[in-house]
Amino acid sequence: MGMVHTVGLVLHPRRDSKPAIDAIIDWARARQATVLGLPDEVGRIDCTAVAVDADELVGRANLVVSLGGDGTMLRSMRLLAGKPTPVLGVNLGRLGFLAEVSVEELPEALTAIDAHRFTVEPRMAVRTQLPDGTDVTAFNDIALVRTPGHGLAAIAISMQGYPFVRYSADALIVATSTGSTAYSFSAGGPIVSPTVEGILVVPAAAHSAFNRALVLSPNEDLDLELLPSSGPLVVEVDGEVLGELRPGDTLTVSAAPAAAKVVRLGYTTFYERARRKLQVNGSLEVELPL
């Protein structure tokens, strides 16, 4: 018996999703499966997907298909955080790290998933609660970023309640292995295999003597305290500004292991995607004369 009875769609806000949606609906119709979508997304597309709210989509879908790029995949993963439903990423634009297939490969991919011919790649998230009580979850990173025209980010780091180091920087990034190829990478952090569960702490443009990144176990809670000398900071969650911090505010960041399940069909590997996306070539080899 096939696995997929209900497909949930999450769409990029601007890219043309119509060919991919048509392919999914044609595949589902042939198998008497249902296709669901969020009202504000499928409502702007001429299609027969059933519009439902986020809670119903998450509750009913056997598979969620993300149509877009890495940003759409991250949003899909946050929507499903803590649920067993797998997410298939379909690339509608530039090469990303999380998308698995192209539009042309969709029917074959859906058939393989329906027949249980796929693997699941668990992805860790990081979580915190903002000073206003808002709970946030990130699959790439939580970044504390200086406000232009104000002071630097001056942040004291404590692990498991024990003070460790103070950073002065343009930003402090708390990233997952998934986010190691995003903001963390641009700030000089390491590339980390997605199979590794750990918390990266990376300063961006550090102005302090200690400017090294930290790698923590997912079992260790991380406290970030804004020092009196810090300027006001914004909190970015997977690139979206969701709050503000003032000197004296503290965030406690913890890991949520295996919070999302990403479908892998074996078409490419993380390292192949990283080489192409980040143009990883290494040093030049010079042939010495004999």
Side-chain angles (χ1 to χ4, degrees), residues 89-220:
V90 181
N91 185 24
L92 297 185
R94 297 181 300 274
L95 172 70
F97 287 98
L98 295 170
E100 181 70 0
V101 298
S102 65
V103 175
E104 294 73 24
E105 295 168 324
L106 247 178
E108 178 186 352
L110 291 171
T111 298
I113 295 167
D114 192 46
H116 301 266
R117 297 195 309 270
F118 70 101
T119 61
V120 163
E121 191 174 78
R123 294 289 179 132
M124 191 192 89
V126 284
R127 291 175 171 164
T128 193
Q129 185 177 78
L130 303 182
D132 65 2
T134 302
D135 293 319
V136 297
T137 298
F139 281 92
N140 258 1
D141 47 51
I142 296 170
L144 311 188
V145 184
R146 71 184 292 257
T147 304
H150 295 271
L152 294 170
I155 302 170
I157 305 291
S158 298
M159 275 87 78
Q160 299 294 91
Y162 293 95
F164 181 66
V165 69
R166 295 183 174 192
Y167 286 111
S168 179
D170 283 356
L172 187 73
I173 305 150
V174 180
T176 64
S177 57
T178 300
S180 73
T181 52
Y183 195 0
S184 170
F185 177 79
S186 69
I191 296 174
V192 181
S193 166
T195 63
V196 173
E197 290 196 326
I199 300 175
L200 306 179
V201 182
V202 182
H207 294 248
S208 48
F210 184 83
N211 61 0
R212 303 291 180 165
L214 308 175
V215 181
L216 310 180
S217 161
N219 299 318
E220 295 176 305

Side-chain angles (χ1 to χ4, degrees), residues 5-287:
H5 308 289
T6 305
V7 179
L9 303 179
V10 179
L11 312 184
H12 190 280
R14 293 177 300 278
R15 294 177 188 166
D16 182 13
S17 305
K18 186 69 164 58
I21 293 173
D22 288 346
I24 293 168
I25 288 175
D26 288 346
W27 182 91
R29 184 182 296 117
R31 290 159 179 79
Q32 298 184 322
T34 303
V35 179
L36 308 177
L38 300 173
D40 58 335
E41 295 184 353
V42 296
R44 56 185 167 82
I45 306 288
D46 180 19
C47 67
T48 58
V50 180
V52 297
D53 62 28
D55 288 341
E56 185 172 351
L57 186 147
V58 170
R60 291 178 58 186
N62 309 112
L63 172 72
V64 167
V65 180
S66 167
L67 303 176
D70 280 354
T72 310
M73 271 294 285
L74 292 170
R75 185 159 55 88
S76 303
M77 291 158 69
R78 289 195 300 271
L79 188 68
L80 291 165
K83 306 295 184 183
T85 309
V87 186
L88 172 67
V90 181
N91 185 24
L92 297 185
R94 297 181 300 274
L95 172 70
F97 287 98
L98 295 170
E100 181 70 0
V101 298
S102 65
V103 175
E104 294 73 24
E105 295 168 324
L106 247 178
E108 178 186 352
L110 291 171
T111 298
I113 295 167
D114 192 46
H116 301 266
R117 297 195 309 270
F118 70 101
T119 61
V120 163
E121 191 174 78
R123 294 289 179 132
M124 191 192 89
V126 284
R127 291 175 171 164
T128 193
Q129 185 177 78
L130 303 182
D132 65 2
T134 302
D135 293 319
V136 297
T137 298
F139 281 92
N140 258 1
D141 47 51
I142 296 170
L144 311 188
V145 184
R146 71 184 292 257
T147 304
H150 295 271
L152 294 170
I155 302 170
I157 305 291
S158 298
M159 275 87 78
Q160 299 294 91
Y162 293 95
F164 181 66
V165 69
R166 295 183 174 192
Y167 286 111
S168 179
D170 283 356
L172 187 73
I173 305 150
V174 180
T176 64
S177 57
T178 300
S180 73
T181 52
Y183 195 0
S184 170
F185 177 79
S186 69
I191 296 174
V192 181
S193 166
T195 63
V196 173
E197 290 196 326
I199 300 175
L200 306 179
V201 182
V202 182
H207 294 248
S208 48
F210 184 83
N211 61 0
R212 303 291 180 165
L214 308 175
V215 181
L216 310 180
S217 161
N219 299 318
E220 295 176 305
D221 284 341
L222 172 69
D223 293 323
L224 312 175
E225 179 189 357
L226 267 67
L227 299 170
S229 59
S230 180
L233 308 181
V234 297
V235 183
E236 292 185 358
V237 178
D238 285 346
E240 181 181 358
V241 175
L242 292 185
E244 296 181 351
L245 299 177
R246 299 283 175 180
D249 287 341
T250 298
L251 293 185
T252 297
V253 181
S254 58
K261 313 292 190 297
V262 175
V263 169
R264 291 301 181 206
L265 296 163
Y267 294 171
T268 61
T269 69
F270 166 76
Y271 299 103
E272 289 173 311
R273 293 189 293 272
R275 281 179 60 87
R276 284 182 288 169
K277 181 77 172 180
L278 303 177
Q279 299 183 17
V280 177
N281 294 314
S283 61
L284 295 175
E285 293 184 0
V286 179
E287 183 176 347

